[in-house]
């Protein structure tokens, strides 16, 4: 994301990567391998383009850490497209197109999704309006961490870098 700041594999979040994996395993009833994680600081105007992640992001968890945007209940949503429903197993024609869903995460909330299968994005981060006579020079930010995993018994298991417990 142009203009944002990202850190890959910061050691401070390694234990959290493992702890979240265990919680997700309990929720989905399947074992996971860690792949990678990184945190990102978004700033006013930054946009996450509509995309599907690489195979190492079979199961993804986006956790909102903090923000200084005003009105926390109106934070910047992440958007995800639900799966299409097809007329047959060969997926030759769409019967019902998937829908765009949006989720607003409060600090400490996380969203679990299939990063390598579901298109997801964020519109440009809002820039709160400042009064023309204000000396406020606040740089607004939104901090989140992306934790990624693959299913141990899945076709993407070979992307795991940590096959320990």
């Amino acid at each position: 994301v142009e203009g944002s700041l990202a850190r890959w594999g910061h050691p401070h979040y390694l234990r959290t990567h493992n702890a979240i994996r265990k919680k997700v395993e309990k929720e989905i009833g399947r074992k996971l391998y860690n792949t990678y994680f990184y945190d990102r600081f978004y700033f006013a105007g930054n946009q996450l383009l509509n995309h599907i992640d690489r195979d190492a992001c079979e199961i993804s968890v986006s956790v909102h850490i903090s923000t200084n945007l005003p009105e926390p209940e109106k934070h910047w949503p992440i958007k995800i497209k639900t799966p299409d429903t097809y007329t047959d197993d060969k997926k030759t024609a769409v019967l019902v197109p998937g829908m765009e869903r949006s989720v607003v995460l409060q600090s400490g909330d996380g969203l679990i999704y299939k990063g390598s299968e579901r298109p997801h994005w964020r519109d440009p981060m809002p820039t709160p309006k400042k009064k023309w006579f204000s000396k406020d020079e606040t740089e607004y930010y939104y901090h989140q961490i992306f934790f990624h995993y693959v299913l141990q018994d899945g076709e993407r298991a070979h992307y795991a870098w940590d096959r320990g417990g």
Side-chain angles (χ1 to χ4, degrees):
V1 174
E2 187 176 338
S4 69
L5 174 65
R7 299 181 296 185
W8 294 81
H10 192 285
H12 182 75
Y13 303 119
L14 183 58
R15 288 178 59 191
T16 306
H17 193 205
N18 290 319
I20 288 176
R21 184 193 76 238
K22 290 174 185 175
K23 288 184 179 200
V24 173
E25 287 174 340
K26 187 174 180 180
E27 287 298 316
I28 68 172
R30 294 176 74 181
K31 292 291 189 183
L32 302 173
Y33 286 131
N34 293 352
T35 55
Y36 70 98
F37 61 94
Y38 67 98
D39 66 313
R40 176 178 286 148
F41 289 87
Y42 293 95
F43 301 102
N46 289 165
Q47 177 180 12
L48 180 64
L49 298 175
N50 186 329
H51 69 286
I52 294 175
D53 294 329
R54 63 189 84 179
D55 283 340
C57 307
E58 184 171 26
I59 305 292
S60 298
V61 181
S62 293
V63 178
H64 175 197
I65 302 303
S66 64
T67 187
N68 66 347
L69 285 168
E71 302 182 88
E73 71 281 359
K74 295 181 182 177
H75 281 319
W76 187 41
I78 185 169
K79 298 181 179 183
I80 296 179
K81 182 182 176 286
T82 63
D84 295 330
T85 303
Y86 295 93
T87 57
D88 56 30
D89 290 339
K90 294 180 182 178
K91 298 182 177 183
T92 54
V94 174
L95 180 63
V96 179
M99 298 174 58
E100 176 184 309
R101 301 286 188 191
S102 64
V103 178
V104 175
L105 300 174
Q106 301 302 315
S107 294
D109 288 349
L111 174 68
I112 302 169
Y113 57 101
K114 293 183 173 184
S116 60
E117 294 178 22
R118 305 291 0 113
H120 53 283
W121 66 96
R122 285 184 184 268
D123 294 333
M125 192 177 105
T127 304
K129 301 221 184 289
K130 298 177 185 178
K131 297 183 184 330
W132 66 271
F133 56 84
S134 172
K135 293 184 180 184
D136 181 10
E137 295 182 19
T138 302
E139 177 69 34
Y140 291 101
Y141 75 92
Y142 186 100
H143 183 203
Q144 77 177 58
I145 306 174
F146 303 93
F147 296 100
H148 301 291
Y149 310 92
V150 291
L151 296 166
Q152 284 188 11
D153 61 354
E155 62 186 46
R156 298 177 176 104
H158 61 284
Y159 288 101
W161 61 266
D162 178 6
R163 294 182 188 238

